[in-house]
């Protein structure tokens, strides 16, 4: 519960209707896209400007009340669940594109703009903003920045961090900082821009971002390679990279995923295949044609049962859309879908997929795997039912072992979804205890009273590494 | 003050440890019994439905979104929240357009959830004033279930419109006693009649030429008194396309108003009477020309699925219900092109979809196919034609504010088409579009029409140029 005086001060900043603490509003800001995580905030606020954000933060800092920034709440790590109560700050009113600078090829936007709307605007001006998380129809640029989201084009074009060149942010104290700018080069001190990207709302509230734009590729081609043998598909990925071809997109789907996606999107995908790869190359026409030919021959050499190049742009778009819907389509199998985000070096994709299957069998849980194979980012996805606690425990145990395997293969516990609450107990596995101490120190410098998104990133206790029993 | 103890108010799906005591009000109990917990669990909160939802678009508030409404329902069932006035209001704010359903990859049956929620709200409502309750009771229980009474209302309305009473009321400023949105609606109501389609042209009509199938016309209630002509034109189009048409006399209101406002048992009774009427008349298809009714007709299977005596017949009825445009486009022997009206220059046409036709009956191609076959007419797509116009049954009367702002956005897009004719395929949408054209001062340039009336006016019988 917030004290009356706090509520009065907050209302005075944003106006009566933009602060709410009725039960409906609290309930509808108690969750995000993460299964089985929910906690009620004490209030919800909708600021309209940076100045308002700063004023709000000053009040909250004075009364030591936590603040959770929120875009569209589509994150999958419990990032916006207010585990320690406090005020949820919804950024949707701050949703303007402030400037598209055609001379410098940059755009400056407010954080609440929906990614897809931003991309559509940029494309209408003949420019290109590559980061395209599958949630872009609803997620916001602010959320993308705070999670450092990746997408289907990450392999060739990189992820959100590669496009954020300047930020405006409000600190826990209520002070406003500006980092970077419309500059392609800037080494004045520590790189605070990069530090804020991926900071999951724990260091500052991002109120404005300057993003780099690039010229769009002139030509593109999409193809589908289908395999009766899963290992063949995985080996193809490693071999494409090894032969120094960098496709724009290189996506992987296993059989259970193919089945549900096809049921949802009605595409006539081959249901009898163990795995398919969805590959796209873009660039100059000549290079694209050459790369696609070479990729096709690599696929065949790894015993692809069928290789199909999309004839029309619509067909290509349909295939990409199908891949984007994979996660949510999997939700049709069982009531609860837990999607994970293990990432390994690209040469170890095949080993990782085999590990996932072995672990799923060991714990007798259903895990479908798809993901951005080209950048080693796999999404093993368990379909279960939150009401069956015993099964949920088995799923958790399986995932623990999957993270363990990812790290053993030189990978990480999350490639793009962030740590939040759900991955916090495993963070130390990846960064070590000195790494955690360092990160805590940074947090302390930005947010001495632990008000910004508390309870995220750092767990009370690290999980013990599981002992793997081989054979 | 903010909590410091980590996870003090974190609740996991199971077991639940919420801050509040489990809700024990009677509405909460009814919701617990009626809401389908599987569907509530199936919602994975991915948010894909948010961009599709008109009320979310208008407000940007999570509680006004499908994901938010489902979370509210689940919170009540889980005992985290008491259903209060605001909960009621939120359930009533939903247009029921069901645009969220095709957008949902997890296949959550939102339409069923909102109906279950509204049924519980209706039973225990605290927000309705006595006169609203009385008016609903008279309308839902006293009028709609009886064909003859519906026709009497039609007669009374006709008397009002034609006896000079309307002019008197308007001139005397009596309409000012009503809220603005009611006044607006009164203005655009078409001339009612006390004679429905059967009274005008009888119950049986044979196909022109070779018979393809026998179909039954679902005449609807409002449709039959306000749009009798559209029903008559539907019969004429069907016979011209090669169908024997029967209009079973014992049919009645589809029950959509009842079902969507939470009066499930009345809806079921009406459904049974309709199923019997059409079953007995031996038709191959049941034709609907009102998207809103059609959506409930195809849902009869679900409505009666736990009634062993009716399950089979209801499933038959649901699977044989088809929209007029769809049967004409897919099976009908209509001329390849509809004629142009020689005296008219090129007509520009646009089309506003009926939500229920699109999102529940999943039909939106057939109408466009037919419209494109009209000679001397140019079809322009309406931007966001798949978005609700704000009519949504009686929504524009019960939620005038939201309906008004949705309509304003819609009319901005309509204006840009510069069309002469705006077509729809549902009476509620048609009235709303007429209202929109009037409200935005476009009546000199544009008229709204039902697809059926437009096609019939363009059916040129001399130039039969049959496809198939
Ligand atoms: C179906 C589906 C598909 C997805 N696909 C992908 C994918 O392909 N790639 C990918 O990377 N992710 C994906 N995600 C995860 C998610 O969509 C992304 O993490 C996205 O960036 C979150 O954006 P949002 O606006 O919803 O942010 P939210 O979920 O609201 O917030 C995410 C985090 O950002 C913080 N935050 C939000 N706004 C601000 C701000 N202005 N300042 C500071 N912190 C802020 C929040 O505190 C939180 O920690 C997917 C999710 C779903 C449901
Ligand atoms: S799209 Fe479906 S699963 Fe996703 S939030 Fe909406 S209703 Fe829930
Ligand atoms: S039915 Fe329409 S208004 Fe209601 S939640 Fe779904 S999309 Fe929104």
């Amino acid at each position: 519960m917030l004290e009356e005086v706090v509520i009065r001060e907050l209302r005075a900043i944003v106006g009566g209707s933009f602060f709410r603490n009725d039960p409906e509003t609290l309930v509808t800001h108690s969750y995000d896209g993460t299964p089985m995580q929910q906690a009620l905030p004490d209030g919800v606020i909708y600021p309209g400007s940076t100045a308002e954000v700063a004023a709000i933060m000053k009040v909250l800092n004075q009364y030591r009340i936590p603040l959770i920034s929120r875009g569209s709440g589509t994150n999958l790590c419990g990032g916006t669940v207010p585990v320690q109560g406090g005020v949820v700050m919804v950024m949707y009113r701050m949703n303007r594109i402030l400037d598209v600078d055609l001379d410098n090829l940059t755009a400056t936007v407010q954080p609440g703009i929906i990614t897809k709307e931003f991309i559509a605007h940029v494309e209408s001006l003949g420019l290109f903003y590559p980061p395209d998380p599958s949630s872009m129809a609803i997620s916001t640029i602010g959320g993308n920045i705070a999670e450092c989201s990746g997408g289907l084009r990450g392999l060739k074009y990189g992820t959100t961090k590669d496009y954020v060149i300047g930020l405006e942010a409000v600190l826990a104290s209520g002070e406003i900082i500006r980092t970077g700018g419309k500059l392609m080069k800037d080494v004045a001190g520590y790189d605070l821009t990069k530090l804020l990207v991926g900071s999951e709302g724990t260091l500052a509230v991002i109120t404005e971002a300057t993003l780099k734009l690039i010229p769009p590729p002139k030509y593109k081609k999409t193809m589908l390679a289908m395999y009766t043998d899963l290992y063949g598909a995985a080996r193809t990925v490693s071999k494409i990279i090894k032969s120094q071809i960098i496709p724009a997109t290189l996506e992987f789907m296993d059989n259970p995923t193919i089945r549900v996606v096809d049921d949802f999107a009605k595409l006539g995908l081959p249901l009898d295949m163990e795995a398919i790869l969805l590959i796209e190359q873009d660039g100059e026409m000549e290079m694209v044609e050459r790369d696609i030919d070479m990729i096709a021959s690599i696929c065949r050499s790894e015993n692809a049962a069928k290789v199909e190049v999309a004839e029309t742009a619509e067909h290509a778009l349909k295939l990409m859309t199908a891949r984007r819907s994979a996660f949510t389509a999997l939700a049709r199998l069982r009531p609860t879908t837990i999607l994970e985000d293990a990432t390994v070096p690209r040469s170890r994709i095949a080993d990782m997929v085999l590990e996932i299957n072995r672990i799923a069998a060991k714990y007798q849980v259903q895990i479908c795997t798809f993901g951005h194979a080209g950048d080693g980012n796999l999404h093993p996805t368990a379909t279960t039912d939150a009401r069956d606690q015993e099964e949920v425990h088995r799923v958790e145990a399986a995932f623990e072992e999957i993270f363990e395997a990812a790290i053993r293969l030189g990978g990480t516990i999350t490639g793009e979804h962030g740590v939040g609450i759900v991955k916090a107990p495993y963070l130390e596995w990846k960064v070590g205890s000195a790494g955690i101490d360092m990160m805590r120190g940074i947090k302390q410098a930005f947010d001495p009273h632990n008000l910004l998104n508390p309870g995220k990133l750092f767990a009370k206790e690290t999980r013990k590494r599981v002992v793997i029993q081989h054979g | 003050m903010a909590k410091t103890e980590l996870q003090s108010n974190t609740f996991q799906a199971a077991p639940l440890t919420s801050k509040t005591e489990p809700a024990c009000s009677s509405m909460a109990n009814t919701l617990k019994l009626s809401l389908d917990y599987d569907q509530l669990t199936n919602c994975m909160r991915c948010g894909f439905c948010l961009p599709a939802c008109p009320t979310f678009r208008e407000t940007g508030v999570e509680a006004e979104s499908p994901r938010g409404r489902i979370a509210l329902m689940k919170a009540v069932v889980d005992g985290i929240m008491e259903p209060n006035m605001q909960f009621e209001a939120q359930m009533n704010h939903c247009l029921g357009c069901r645009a969220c359903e095709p957008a949902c990859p997890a296949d959550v049956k939102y339409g069923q959830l909102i109906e279950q929620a509204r049924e519980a709200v209706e039973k225990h409502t605290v927000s309705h004033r006595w006169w609203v309750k009385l008016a609903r009771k008279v309308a839902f229980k006293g009028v709609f279930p009886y064909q003859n009474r519906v026709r009497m209302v039609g007669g009374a309305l006709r008397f009002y419109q034609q006896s000079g009473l309307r002019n008197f009321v308007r001139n005397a400023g009596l309409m000012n006693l009503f809220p603005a949105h009611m006044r607006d609606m009164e203005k655009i109501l078409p001339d009612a009649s006390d004679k429905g389609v059967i009274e005008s042209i009888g119950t049986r009509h044979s196909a022109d030429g070779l018979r393809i199938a026998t179909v039954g016309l679902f005449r609807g209630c409002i449709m039959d008194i306000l749009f009798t002509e559209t029903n008559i034109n539907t019969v004429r189009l069907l016979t011209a396309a090669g169908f024997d048409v029967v209009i079973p006399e014992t049919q009645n209101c589809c029950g959509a108003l009842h079902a969507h406002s939470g009066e499930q048992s009345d809806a079921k009774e009406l459904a049974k009477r309709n199923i019997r009427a059409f079953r007995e008349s031996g038709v191959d298809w049941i034709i609907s020309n009102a998207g809103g009714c059609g959506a409930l007709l195809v849902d009869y299977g679900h409505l009666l699925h736990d009634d062993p005596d009716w399950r089979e017949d209801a499933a038959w009825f649901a699977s044989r219900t088809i929209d007029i445009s769809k049967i004409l486009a897919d099976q009908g022997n209509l001329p390849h092109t509809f004629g142009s009206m020689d005296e008219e220059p090129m007509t520009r046409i646009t089309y506003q979809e009926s939500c229920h036709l699109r999102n529940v009956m999943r039909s939106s191609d057939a109408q466009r196919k037919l419209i494109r076959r009209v000679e001397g007419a140019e079809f322009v797509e309406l931007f966001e034609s798949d978005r609700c116009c704000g009519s949504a049954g009686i929504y524009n009367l019960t939620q005038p504010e939201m309906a008004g702002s949705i309509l304003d956005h819609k009319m901005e897009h309509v204006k840009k088409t510069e069309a002469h004719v705006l077509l729809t395929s549902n009476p509620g949408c048609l009235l709303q579009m007429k209202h929109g054209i009037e409200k935005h001062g476009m009546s000199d340039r544009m008229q709204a029409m039902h697809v059926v009336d437009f096609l019939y006016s363009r059916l040129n019988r001399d130039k039969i140029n049959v496809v198939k």
Side-chain angles (χ1 to χ4, degrees), chain A residues 328 331, chain B residues 42-50 66-67 70 100 103-108 110:
Chain A
T328 24
Chain B
N42 281 346
C43 171
M44 58 194 305
R45 298 167 170 171
C46 65
F48 267 42
C49 50
L50 269 62
R67 178 172 72 172
I70 293 172
C100 45
C104 173
D107 204 17
V108 173
Y110 177 86

Side-chain angles (χ1 to χ4, degrees), chain A residues 1 24 31 63 72 92 332, chain B residues 1 9 59 62 67 84 105:
Chain A
M1 283 281 286
E24 277 69 22
Y31 54 79
Y63 295 97
S72 297
Y92 96 91
R332 296 181 163 219
Chain B
M1 252 339 236
N9 59 350
T59 59
E62 177 80 20
R67 178 172 72 172
N84 53 8

Side-chain angles (χ1 to χ4, degrees), chain A residues 442-457:
Chain A
I442 293 171
K443 167 83 172 159
Q444 175 76 21
F446 272 87
D447 178 18
H449 304 296
N450 194 23
L451 299 179
L452 293 173
N453 212 357
K456 311 298 160 66
L457 277 180

